[in-house]
Amino acid sequence: MRLVAGPFAAFALLLAIAGVAKALRPLNTSRALRSAGLPSSAALVRLLGAAEAVLAVAALTVAGPIPAALVAISYASFAAFVGYAKARGLAISSCGCFGKPDTPPTNAHIVVNLGAAVLAAAAAISPGRSPLGQLTHSPGAGVPFTALVLVIAGLGYLALAEWPRLVAVLRLNPSREARI
């Protein structure tokens, strides 16, 4: 896992943040699930969000293939849901990833989620230390490893939560240069 420990930790961190957000603010995820004809009660979404957060903490702290494989399955499921919703033309104004009402699912969601699933699968196939274990054995007191994790997690968040809003704004207000 050494080669993918940083990116894997970043996506596990994002999974934890998204899980907590869904547990605290389940409405948008509930709406997205309902539009797809899936069970969608707020209590269920809160439970799923809490389970995501627990899984993410386990993936960050426990070595072995099982937590990484479960993270891979989670991200693959997210990608499949967004792909299904887009293919069916479902009116989903928000996927509820981070408990925000203004993050409509886009192709970026599919790409980022599939990338996270592949990284997690790679971590499951060649397990080593947990990301926390890797951090404690990293050079520079773990500062470079932590910086890598935070940068990748930040970029993942931007791709999932902010990129869709930027694209929507640009579509509504194209600049003069874009029209030329």
Side-chain angles (χ1 to χ4, degrees):
M1 180 188 311
R2 280 187 12 200
L3 291 176
V4 297
F8 173 70
F11 284 109
L13 178 61
L14 273 180
L15 185 66
I17 292 167
V20 169
K22 287 176 195 149
L24 295 175
R25 302 177 85 185
L27 185 59
N28 293 307
T29 301
S30 181
R31 285 183 189 143
L33 292 172
R34 187 177 318 114
S35 73
L38 297 171
S40 60
S41 72
L44 175 64
V45 172
R46 286 183 197 278
L47 179 64
L48 291 172
E52 280 179 29
V54 168
L55 169 59
V57 169
L60 288 167
T61 58
V62 177
I66 293 174
L70 293 173
V71 169
I73 291 168
S74 295
Y75 275 106
S77 298
F78 301 151
F81 175 76
V82 173
Y84 173 80
K86 289 184 70 57
R88 300 286 242 152
L90 301 179
I92 297 177
S93 61
S94 174
C95 64
C97 296
F98 298 102
K100 295 169 70 174
D102 52 356
T103 53
T106 64
N107 290 332
H109 280 73
I110 296 169
V111 170
V112 170
N113 286 320
L114 286 177
V118 168
L119 282 167
I125 290 168
S126 69
R129 293 183 181 115
S130 68
L132 182 60
Q134 185 69 33
L135 172 67
T136 60
H137 290 86
S138 293
V143 172
F145 182 83
T146 301
L148 174 70
V149 169
L150 293 176
V151 166
I152 293 171
L155 291 172
Y157 173 81
L158 289 173
L160 294 172
E162 302 303 328
W163 178 256
R165 290 191 315 173
L166 176 62
V167 169
V169 167
L170 292 176
R171 283 187 183 145
L172 293 175
N173 299 313
S175 68
R176 275 194 333 202
E177 291 83 13
R179 286 188 232 155
I180 296 175

